[in-house]
Amino acid sequence: MYLSGKPVLHVIDSATTFNGARFLPSMSTKDTWETLRMLWIDTYQGPPDIITHNAGTNFASVEFKSEAKIMGITCKQVPVEAHWSIGKVERYHAPLRRAYEILRAELDSRTSDDAVLQMAVKAVNDTAGPDGLVPTLLVFGAYPRISMDSPPSPSMVHRAEAIQKAMKALRKAAAERAVSDVLNTRNGPTTNKVLSLPLQSEVMVWREKNGWQGPYKIINMKDHDVTVDMVNGPATFRSTVVKPYYRDPAIDATPATGVNPARDAKPAIDVTTVEDGGTEPTITQPRRLTRGTTQATQLPQLTRGITQAAQPRKRGRPPGSKNKPKVLYLSKKEEDNYALAVKLHNDGVINIPGAPFEASDQKEIDDLVGRGVFSFELFDPTVHSGFRIFKSRMVREVKGKTMVPYKKSRLVVQGYNDKGKHEILTQSPTIQRSSQRLILALAPGLLKDDGINCDRINRDRINRDGINRNRMFVELRNITQAYPQAQTELFRTILAHLPKELTTKYPEGTIIRVIKPLYGIAEAGVHWFTTYQGHHCKELDMATSTYDPCLLITNGGPEAFGIVGLQTDNTLAIGTSAFSSAEEAALQKADFRAKPKDRLSKETPLEFNGCTLTLRGDTITLTQKGQGAKIEVIDKTADRAQKYMEQRARGAYIASICQPEALFDLSAAAQIQQPADRDYMKLNHRLKWQAENLERGLQYVPLDLATAKLMVFTDGSFANNLDLSSQLGYLIVLVNEDAHSYLDGTFKIRGNVVHWSSTKCKRVTQSVLASKTYGMVSGVNIAIAILTTLKMVTERLGLPSIPLIVCTDSYSLYECLVKLGTTNEKRLMIDIMALRQSYERCEITEIQWINGNNNPADAITKATPNRALEQFIDSNELSIRVEGSMQRPG
């Protein structure tokens, strides 16, 4: 409402009709929310449960709903043409306006409009309402004192007695009022036909000024609210002002001349008398007449040449022929979920009416249509004949089995054998294992109160209350139904048949036109990655790593520092409280649907990208999630070779996650094309070890980043494979060096594993020097890429750069690099020159020649290695004897 030409925010409590009002500085969402807080939320009991508001843009905005959601408030927007939904507020507009005008006229101009408005609100609250109840008495339990002669406020005992008497009288009055309302209630319009309409059905809507308008299509339906696709966008109406629109296929079909009677004619209004003496507007079928012709002469012209739209031919013979009915085959998991849903329904745990998953199927379809992911169309051979129409299916599952079970359905397009995907990009990036372990290597040191290892900065961040605002946390974010939330549309036309579960609910010949990414479409992952990565870069001001587009780092300082790793719909992040709050606010602003964040603690482990993260004290443990339970020893069966390949792949997957000591055996097994008995025995030996050590993984301990070093241990075994090729390997670790432990050329390191690799050399190696050099080149390449990302981290935290130390147990290679030795192999000369150049450019800080028994990379290139890697994984510590080193002067 407006008073004195200025907007007023008018709030009324639905139970007590207690009023509140205040002038708005502007109609913006920010001013509206701040005024609401000062007027009601921060003045009285606190945030209400439900706020019912009109369709104003300041209330319907995402910002207003996000602020309300943070406080646990449910916003309910009334539909269009349904003013009675907030009738209590509108009824009190007149008394408030009348009181304001009287006070404004009687008081001089020196009294501000704000003071006059509060006087008017006080007068309305102190006056008995239409039911004879005084709002001030209901809220505060006492009549307002008007003058000095007014009786004193009653005591609490008297108030309690008065309340008991009032409640008794109120129950009697409420019962009488309920009976009276029932007897005087008139029969309203029947809305069953409207509520039973499928989506995309055509309807007419009643507007106060123009009567019945349409036809328009239904795009969403919730309870008695119907969302219709209007000319200016979607609008929500009550079902009482919506009615179906029926077309006569022989008359209303659009002819070839382009004349559309339903579109070009204005509706004619007809008033039909109903039983209770009221009137209900109805519409007659519109017709458009061409100049110079009559309706009788034009109807044959409109119907001439019109044919029924052809429907797509279904596979198989028609019903009643020799064909047997089609059987819907389900996987074992789907069968178990369906049986569980039936059992929960019979036991009364899930009391949703209808067949199993019927409600969840409809909810999924309504949600996707409401978000504009796809639309329904009738098959038209002239339009759709040039496109392949995919199948679709509903994937059903019972979620929350251990807590509160509920049914969930997901629409999936069966996009197999999609020839169009070869012309577009379909491979979406996922986080690399090295990036994931890099986050974990940094996390324990950052989780501590002095996590950024800078006492001066920490002291600045500690408030007077003693709380360290710079403390960091490891959190996991899970986006629900990620692909349909992509904000970009598909670049090609995707059509799909309705799922078999929904064919009976829609007109025959209805197909789906997919507009935005949906599960089962090849390029859906790319669209979602573009949306989610762009969201982090733009809304959170983050930059991508130099080697992994899924590893993001904030551009600001240590106050709002954060590192995020993206894995499709999961994100693993470590950051400060400010970063966590900013991420939550940005997610709400973007309106992404997500589960509440999980924070790593001693009681709450996290599961990310096939791994389980557990916090034990100040140490984070990384173990495999569930693949270890599927490892089986290969016995002598008919499909022995197939099991060899399956179990080898499963073991290699676990080794790539958290068991680097098993990598060489599995890498050697991958080179076997036709395994013999000896090969089965070797693989079984390693698989048995992995099955017995399911809980063995990597431990990540706190490190001092101010003195940390990135060390890469390299190794290469000359001609140790069956085909006489060489095996190359390296291990990259982030460590702290114990300066006090240096004795007789031996020093101790304590650190975390970042990355490792064991691969077959694709080049022909003619010497041990060649295999060692190729192994060092591979390790240094990825180590420099990781080092550039670590440089971004240290710059954000205000810490010195981390140096790169290269270690090898080959004296000949060390001599070539340090003493400028030469070799006759041209390729080898190029690689050695590249390593020297990296050292000259300060990319490599130091090159060390270490004892072979202390090289942990030995375990990932040999079948019978030393125990350095095993010792380092067990204790995160390793003693290294240096035989020679080349250190930069100064």
Side-chain angles (χ1 to χ4, degrees), residues 596-663:
K597 285 193 293 188
D598 294 326
R599 178 170 291 179
L600 181 64
S601 63
K602 297 179 181 179
E603 298 80 15
T604 307
L606 302 181
E607 293 182 352
F608 177 75
N609 197 17
C611 309
T612 300
L613 309 180
T614 308
L615 183 63
R616 299 172 181 172
D618 58 356
T619 301
I620 297 178
T621 303
L622 171 67
T623 56
Q624 57 85 26
K625 180 180 177 181
Q627 288 293 330
K630 301 179 182 179
I631 290 181
E632 300 176 355
V633 177
I634 306 171
D635 52 6
K636 295 182 179 180
T637 56
D639 56 345
R640 194 180 184 189
Q642 178 67 21
K643 287 188 175 182
Y644 181 91
M645 182 178 63
E646 294 175 356
Q647 296 300 324
R648 188 267 309 164
R650 184 168 287 117
Y653 175 77
I654 298 175
S656 67
I657 294 177
C658 59
Q659 295 181 352
E661 58 266 56
L663 191 60

Side-chain angles (χ1 to χ4, degrees), residues 776-828:
M776 178 176 286
V777 170
S778 301
V780 169
N781 283 340
I782 185 63
I784 291 177
I786 295 175
L787 189 66
T788 56
T789 300
L790 285 173
K791 184 179 179 181
M792 297 171 62
V793 174
T794 53
E795 287 178 352
R796 308 300 193 268
L797 297 177
L799 300 175
S801 299
I802 296 177
L804 174 61
I805 313 297
V806 181
C807 301
T808 179
D809 57 2
S810 172
Y811 176 72
S812 57
L813 175 58
Y814 172 76
E815 190 177 36
C816 286
L817 297 174
V818 175
K819 298 182 180 181
L820 305 181
T822 59
T823 178
N824 295 328
E825 297 185 37
K826 293 184 179 180
R827 282 189 174 181
L828 217 56

Side-chain angles (χ1 to χ4, degrees), residues 35 55 69 219 275 291 329 413 463 503 576 598 789 855 870:
T35 304
K69 187 176 181 181
I219 61 176
E275 295 179 0
R291 182 177 300 175
Y329 292 99
V413 176
N463 293 350
T503 52
T576 60
D598 294 326
T789 300
N855 187 3
E870 180 183 356

Side-chain angles (χ1 to χ4, degrees), residues 29 33 37 62-73:
T29 302
W33 176 254
R37 291 199 59 170
V62 177
E63 181 181 355
F64 185 88
K65 294 181 179 179
S66 300
E67 295 287 352
K69 187 176 181 181
I70 294 175
M71 289 192 173
I73 303 173

Side-chain angles (χ1 to χ4, degrees), residues 334-402:
E334 289 176 309
E335 291 179 355
D336 294 341
N337 278 279
Y338 190 87
L340 178 60
V342 174
K343 182 178 182 300
L344 294 175
H345 184 78
N346 295 335
D347 295 343
V349 179
I350 298 179
N351 296 320
I352 300 177
F357 294 101
E358 181 181 0
S360 60
D361 290 347
Q362 192 62 45
K363 180 181 178 182
E364 169 76 357
I365 296 298
D366 294 347
D367 180 66
L368 293 177
V369 174
R371 284 189 282 166
V373 178
F374 65 84
S375 62
F376 295 101
E377 296 182 1
L378 287 176
F379 179 79
D380 186 351
T382 60
V383 178
H384 304 136
S385 59
F387 302 97
R388 177 186 172 184
I389 303 180
F390 296 93
K391 291 184 178 180
S392 64
R393 62 190 297 260
M394 299 298 298
V395 178
R396 299 159 161 180
E397 187 178 359
V398 177
K399 294 284 189 177
K401 299 182 179 68
T402 58

Side-chain angles (χ1 to χ4, degrees), residues 854-875:
N854 303 136
N855 187 3
D858 191 68
I860 52 182
T861 57
K862 298 178 180 62
T864 55
N866 58 40
R867 303 191 64 181
L869 179 61
E870 180 183 356
Q871 178 184 349
F872 185 76
I873 293 177
D874 289 340
S875 61

